[in-house]
Amino acid sequence: MFWSKKARPSGEGMEVAKQCQLEAEALYRSGTHHCAEAVMEAVRKHFAPEVPESAVKAVAGFGGGSGSGCLCGAVSGGTVALGVVLADKKSTSHLTKELHTWFKEKYGVTCCKTIRQTHGGACPVLTGEVAGKIAEMLDRK
């Protein structure tokens, strides 16, 4: 479950962050994955392909703010993806904090219910943006 530089795609000119963003948004829009699952799958695919696809099911309960409308599922799924890819708690905690700060600056809150009320229809786009941001952060490591 450790991050591996050799797991990077060739990309044909498209950077990995953009690929993760587009793939996560497409997974969400397809209806096969909700926000947390889409982020987890896109990050897993590009940064931890040795982790089985079935691991995406570990975030199944995070969609829609964990069923209660609280923390955005894309952020929750992204937090799990960071933990899967990174080798230590300190790095995971640091990047998780960075992710939350970035998301709050962009959307004002991390509450799913509030985001849906104030940014109606934004879930597919923000799901992609979260996956892209995580890929960008991991690419710096």
Side-chain angles (χ1 to χ4, degrees), residues 13-49:
M14 186 186 287
E15 59 186 76
V16 70
K18 189 65 174 176
Q19 287 181 346
C20 284
Q21 178 179 351
L22 294 173
E23 289 172 16
E25 183 175 340
L27 286 168
Y28 185 99
R29 289 185 187 281
S30 75
T32 62
H33 293 65
H34 62 54
C35 48
E37 294 166 327
V39 171
M40 178 70 178
E41 174 56 17
V43 174
R44 182 208 65 79
K45 178 181 170 187
H46 290 280
F47 291 92

Side-chain angles (χ1 to χ4, degrees), residues 22-127:
L22 294 173
E23 289 172 16
E25 183 175 340
L27 286 168
Y28 185 99
R29 289 185 187 281
S30 75
T32 62
H33 293 65
H34 62 54
C35 48
E37 294 166 327
V39 171
M40 178 70 178
E41 174 56 17
V43 174
R44 182 208 65 79
K45 178 181 170 187
H46 290 280
F47 291 92
E50 70 282 1
V51 173
E53 289 181 33
S54 61
V56 174
K57 293 178 183 177
V59 299
F62 292 136
S66 295
S68 67
C70 288
L71 182 61
C72 169
V75 174
S76 297
T79 299
V80 174
L82 286 169
V84 167
V85 173
L86 297 170
D88 67 280
K89 288 181 187 181
K90 187 175 181 179
S91 293
T92 301
S93 291
H94 174 75
L95 291 184
T96 296
K97 184 175 181 178
E98 183 180 336
L99 175 65
H100 281 252
T101 300
W102 167 83
F103 193 89
K104 277 186 176 178
E105 287 172 0
K106 188 158 183 76
Y107 290 99
V109 295
T110 57
C111 175
C112 174
K113 215 180 279 186
T114 302
I115 291 165
R116 286 181 175 190
Q117 290 171 352
T118 59
H119 297 83
C123 293
V125 172
L126 73 80
T127 295

